[in-house]
Amino acid sequence: MISSREQVTQMIVAAKVRKGLKWAHVAESIGMSKEWTTAGCLGQMAFDKAQAETLGQLFELSDEAVAWLQIAPYKGSLPTAVPTDPLIYRWYELVNVYGTTIKELIHEEFGDGIMSAIDFSMDIQRQSDPKGDRVNVVLSGKFLPYKSY
Amino acid sequence: MISSREQVTQMIVAAKVRKGLKWAHVAESIGMSKEWTTAGCLGQMAFDKAQAETLGQLFELSDEAVAWLQIAPYKGSLPTAVPTDPLIYRWYELVNVYGTTIKELIHEEFGDGIMSAIDFSMDIQRQSDPKGDRVNVVLSGKFLPYKSY
Amino acid sequence: MISSREQVTQMIVAAKVRKGLKWAHVAESIGMSKEWTTAGCLGQMAFDKAQAETLGQLFELSDEAVAWLQIAPYKGSLPTAVPTDPLIYRWYELVNVYGTTIKELIHEEFGDGIMSAIDFSMDIQRQSDPKGDRVNVVLSGKFLPYKSY
Amino acid sequence: MISSREQVTQMIVAAKVRKGLKWAHVAESIGMSKEWTTAGCLGQMAFDKAQAETLGQLFELSDEAVAWLQIAPYKGSLPTAVPTDPLIYRWYELVNVYGTTIKELIHEEFGDGIMSAIDFSMDIQRQSDPKGDRVNVVLSGKFLPYKSY
Amino acid sequence: MISSREQVTQMIVAAKVRKGLKWAHVAESIGMSKEWTTAGCLGQMAFDKAQAETLGQLFELSDEAVAWLQIAPYKGSLPTAVPTDPLIYRWYELVNVYGTTIKELIHEEFGDGIMSAIDFSMDIQRQSDPKGDRVNVVLSGKFLPYKSY
Amino acid sequence: MISSREQVTQMIVAAKVRKGLKWAHVAESIGMSKEWTTAGCLGQMAFDKAQAETLGQLFELSDEAVAWLQIAPYKGSLPTAVPTDPLIYRWYELVNVYGTTIKELIHEEFGDGIMSAIDFSMDIQRQSDPKGDRVNVVLSGKFLPYKSY
Amino acid sequence: MISSREQVTQMIVAAKVRKGLKWAHVAESIGMSKEWTTAGCLGQMAFDKAQAETLGQLFELSDEAVAWLQIAPYKGSLPTAVPTDPLIYRWYELVNVYGTTIKELIHEEFGDGIMSAIDFSMDIQRQSDPKGDRVNVVLSGKFLPYKSY
Amino acid sequence: MISSREQVTQMIVAAKVRKGLKWAHVAESIGMSKEWTTAGCLGQMAFDKAQAETLGQLFELSDEAVAWLQIAPYKGSLPTAVPTDPLIYRWYELVNVYGTTIKELIHEEFGDGIMSAIDFSMDIQRQSDPKGDRVNVVLSGKFLPYKSY
Amino acid sequence: MISSREQVTQMIVAAKVRKGLKWAHVAESIGMSKEWTTAGCLGQMAFDKAQAETLGQLFELSDEAVAWLQIAPYKGSLPTAVPTDPLIYRWYELVNVYGTTIKELIHEEFGDGIMSAIDFSMDIQRQSDPKGDRVNVVLSGKFLPYKSY
Amino acid sequence: MISSREQVTQMIVAAKVRKGLKWAHVAESIGMSKEWTTAGCLGQMAFDKAQAETLGQLFELSDEAVAWLQIAPYKGSLPTAVPTDPLIYRWYELVNVYGTTIKELIHEEFGDGIMSAIDFSMDIQRQSDPKGDRVNVVLSGKFLPYKSY
């Protein structure tokens, strides 16, 4: 009996290590970006039927697990409000250190509103650099103005 | 008596509203990016002497306040661990929803380590879009591999 | 020196009690709904110049305070993560008791995505009822589908 | 041995995915609204004997599970005080941003008291809109005045 | 400038100590119970005009403070979620130790629903006892059944 | 292997639902009040040998479980510091809203000290009322004065 | 205007440092133990009239402050739930490491109940020891058995 | 497979109830105090080989469990930062109410430093008293002065 | 099925106790320092293929477990934000007591930036001392200056 | 009126910036290490009379402030349990990532006990390195074995 998406995520993660798969290849198999695909496999996005079935074959999932992949999951991938993992914490730190800066600059350019985290995409790339390669991340989110009424 | 950088931040913020200044112009006045300058004015970065003095004139600060601007501040710009402001929360949400994805993809490309939040820069731009303009953010952080010893 | 919107909110709240004003009348004076106007006066929305000036006269605010009313505020109106006030707690309780229900039903109807809290409006009305009058609240938020990419 | 309602909720959730059921149909089968029915199936409401038995057949539950459905459950459907799921978080955000507004307007209309979350109903509907369909939610709660004594 | 009820509570508390008043006498002066009156003076209830004016004279409050006494306050009288004061903690402990018992017994007698904390009264009395006097507290709250719809 | 009282509580709760028992009858079977008996069955009180054996027969418990019923348990029946269940939350709310009032009135009558939660009893009764029946609760706790030394 | 006992504690603490007083002498002046006296001066106990007046002279307090010393205070002397000060933390650690041990041994000797923290005294002494002097603390609390009813 | 000391503690606790053992007798069997022995059995201290083997026979533990008893455990015996169990909470309350007092008096006698919780012993005894027996606890901890350098 | 590194850590820890291994020997077997090796075995570092296979033989792990050892783990080895174990707490206390000192002195010497916890090594040694042996720890972390841009 | 050491710390911090002092020079003036001196000036250590008076002249403090410097302070220099400042957070991260490693290795070498944070010293030095200078920190703490009794 599968009663939460988290169980399916555990099956996927276990299969990925066991079979030595790469997220980039998983993404190719369903024709989507590696960012969105990985988020989905880690239980944060819902797949359509064809995608779920392809993933089911790749990760050797049961039909019940494939059905769960098509359902909007309860999101949130971190076990604590402040993440303990150093890589993820650095992102939390950016929000903490630059949070008010981001707020000021978006409001200065766009007025009151937010940058959507739903109509949103992310692209992570390696950027070669003689002083040490860099991680380059492009975030793109629609600006949503506060409605006045 | 000024006993914390936070007091200087309040003076700057009050002066900015009172005088109707823009962060973009503040940044120009010291010849740095608007992202780094705003973070500094909001108490997250240290300025050099010339920068601090220029800002002192712009915001009509006392000499004591100008001295504080040159000192590495106690960082962290948010009043709560989980931010309540919707614009900043969306960023926290991104870390929560995409945190494990970012971790997986950086490790897949670079191995164990982190993306630096110190040797780091950020660029926020408006991207025109007929379906509604978008906020485009480029983050660039040096990859730091975990040292084994 | 005014260094946060919260100070302006306190001035407004103090003036409202001192002068015996009603939110409904405040809303009329700027031609907006009572819900949006009250949220703005309590420091959650930004007003345009004309609105801010009208409010400035109504609440006898300084020019500096009027300037602050036109700036996108740091939002969040509650002093604790779980509200202690019984009226507001009942709403928190609704989110707690009905949260997963709301999630299931919106996903069943619309697929994966959210109901916007930005492109959003609220209308609160008294509904007469012989068994005791009821509070009727209509919430309207744009559905935003998760972007896949 | 079933020792909590939560175990029954997991059985229902698992069966729903496995059998591809819709909450709207589940609600029809017991002749109640989809909001109340879903809340009940997710462990927040108690069913009467006939309802519980119908649900037992629909979800293929044991007699013990059907008995549990008739017992007032320990309520609260969220794993954290501040919800991490974006759809549910938006509701928490509404309480945070509009909480004091709701308080002010209900008190202005009704005096001191609360809007009941017990003598309460909710109706969620799709509202077509050329700019993007909207989620329309009507909340109706009895006003309960504070008793003075 | 008074911008919160809490400031008025502090004035009342200071005056009470300074003038050596008793809550029982304060309650008599406005013809209400000592429980409700004390709760109101401590910022948890709203008074009507006559009551507020009587209290204003008793505690030598300004007109502005008297106006605040007539407004429904933001409730919650404790500085921490788990109270540190031993007398109040014992009550928290009762909820912790007996909470599920109270729930079971009210549901056994009344079905699903709650005991109101709004349509509610409390009476605290000394009960003589040769083994040491006892505090006797009678709580009376209307039972509110969960509405099914 | 039973290694905590909580496991016994789960056995009792499961048996109670399975066998359709009432707490009032359970209490009768051991000749104690329904409040104390329920608290004990829910893991908050220790039973003597005869009581434990009677309960063992009623709930069909093993000898090991019956032995555990006679041991002073680790008390606290709620999963979170602030309870999410609405019925129990109302009691938490009473402590929050009336906490300082209770403190003031007990001190006014008895001086510095507390109302015991150990030398304590509770009685929950239905009180008929044409406007809706009420839950009547009588709490009786010995006053314990702070010792000065 | 003094509106809380904490203000009086600050006056006492400031006077003690300014005048170079010792707690042992303060205790002598009112004829009580140094433990109880210090706790009282730090805002945790109520003094009688004579004691308060003696302390008023010693610490040069106003009449209003002396009145506050005679009122049962809101207790709890630590700024955080887990104390940060190393000396006090060690005591918290004892509760954490030995808490279940203390519980087991008191129950083994006395049955279910508690050791009172109200009918309680404490005595702190230096114990000479060639390997380094020791702090000796004797705690004495009345055993209170749980009442069954 | 045993992967934490906690599992061994559960085995010990289960065996103790099953076999009706007393901590005092367990302590005698290894020739140590009942306080230190109980703490060790509850997973807070490490035993030497002979002690562990004696306990292994007493509680019928496997060799693997006996090996775990000889390893310094991850300490901390309470499930929450603020304990919910009333007996243990009273000790937490003592730290809260008397924490600053203990700090003041130890510093007054010894200067800056702490009372060790490592070079520490505890003795719990019943003290007969006609007004109700008392729990007497003697704590002895080495004073450790802060090193200046 | 292994779905997290934590499961592998439990296997290693269980094997280490069962087989009576020492961390120093484990480290020798893979030719790395005892500090880095122990951190890796406790789930905080990723091993290369050869190291993982050696560890697999030493701890008798399955191939699946060996595969997991080569994957960058979700880091963070403590169950609570403030550690309860006294040995680890002392380190948390050092950060609490000396945190601002470390910050001041590094900034005084190096300017704004951090000491890396990634390009970092640690060496723990016993230092003989007639007054009691000491633990000597050398931490070495690269200084990373904040980038201005 | 000075009622806490924190006020003196603020005076020192303000004077240090105003007068452009260095911690290294402050330490020289009292003949102690820069680490201990800085910790003391930031409110974590007590100074003797001569040291306090020298500091009083250096920072132009009042006699009352100088008296406070000689009193053992309430320690803990961070505003939140998990530090937000990146430099200090890295140290918290070390405790989180390496905490269990440190525990294992100290126990392996010394047996059960702790590394003292009281009989403790710290030395922070710059270490030149062509790949970027490093921060070298030596921590030395006495090992304290758990007493068995």
Side-chain angles (χ1 to χ4, degrees), chain G residues 39-51:
Chain G
C41 288
L42 295 176
Q44 306 299 313
M45 301 289 160
F47 294 102
D48 67 25
K49 192 156 189 294
Q51 294 165 340

Side-chain angles (χ1 to χ4, degrees), chain G residues 82-86 89-90 93 96-97, chain I residues 82-86 89-90 93 96-97:
Chain G
V82 177
T84 62
D85 182 79
Y89 182 82
R90 296 306 178 276
E93 185 175 301
N96 220 314
V97 169
Chain I
V82 177
T84 61
D85 182 79
Y89 182 81
R90 294 308 178 274
E93 185 175 300
N96 221 314
V97 170

Side-chain angles (χ1 to χ4, degrees), chain F residues 49-104:
Chain F
K49 192 156 190 296
Q51 294 165 342
E53 285 170 351
T54 303
L55 295 172
Q57 288 179 323
L58 203 59
F59 294 118
E60 298 173 356
L61 303 174
S62 67
D63 286 357
E64 201 179 350
V66 168
W68 271 96
L69 286 178
Q70 303 170 52
I71 288 177
Y74 193 93
K75 298 177 178 71
S77 69
L78 303 178
T80 50
V82 177
T84 61
D85 182 80
L87 186 145
I88 300 178
Y89 182 81
R90 296 305 179 277
W91 280 71
Y92 177 77
E93 185 175 301
L94 290 177
V95 176
N96 220 314
V97 169
Y98 276 101
T100 48
T101 294
I102 294 165
K103 181 174 173 65
E104 290 286 326

Side-chain angles (χ1 to χ4, degrees), chain E residues 23-24 39 77 81 85 92 96 100-101 103-104 108-109 119 126 131 133-135 137 139-143, chain F residues 23-24 39 77 81 85 92 96 101 103-104 108-109 119 126 131 133-135 137 139-143:
Chain E
W23 293 116
S77 68
D85 181 79
Y92 177 77
N96 220 315
T100 49
T101 294
K103 181 174 173 65
E104 289 286 327
E108 186 161 307
E109 178 64 32
D119 186 338
R126 175 193 286 264
K131 284 178 293 185
D133 284 4
R134 300 181 75 81
V135 186
V137 184
L139 309 173
S140 166
K142 191 178 177 184
F143 178 74
Chain F
W23 293 117
S77 69
D85 182 80
Y92 177 77
N96 220 314
T101 294
K103 181 174 173 65
E104 290 286 326
E108 185 161 306
E109 178 64 32
D119 187 337
R126 175 193 285 264
K131 284 178 292 185
D133 284 5
R134 300 180 76 81
V135 185
V137 183
L139 310 174
S140 165
K142 190 177 175 183
F143 178 75

Side-chain angles (χ1 to χ4, degrees), chain I residues 116-134:
Chain I
S116 182
I118 308 295
D119 187 337
F120 170 86
S121 65
M122 171 186 276
D123 183 37
I124 301 176
Q125 299 293 344
R126 175 195 286 263
Q127 181 190 325
S128 293
D129 191 309
K131 284 178 293 186
D133 285 5
R134 299 180 77 79

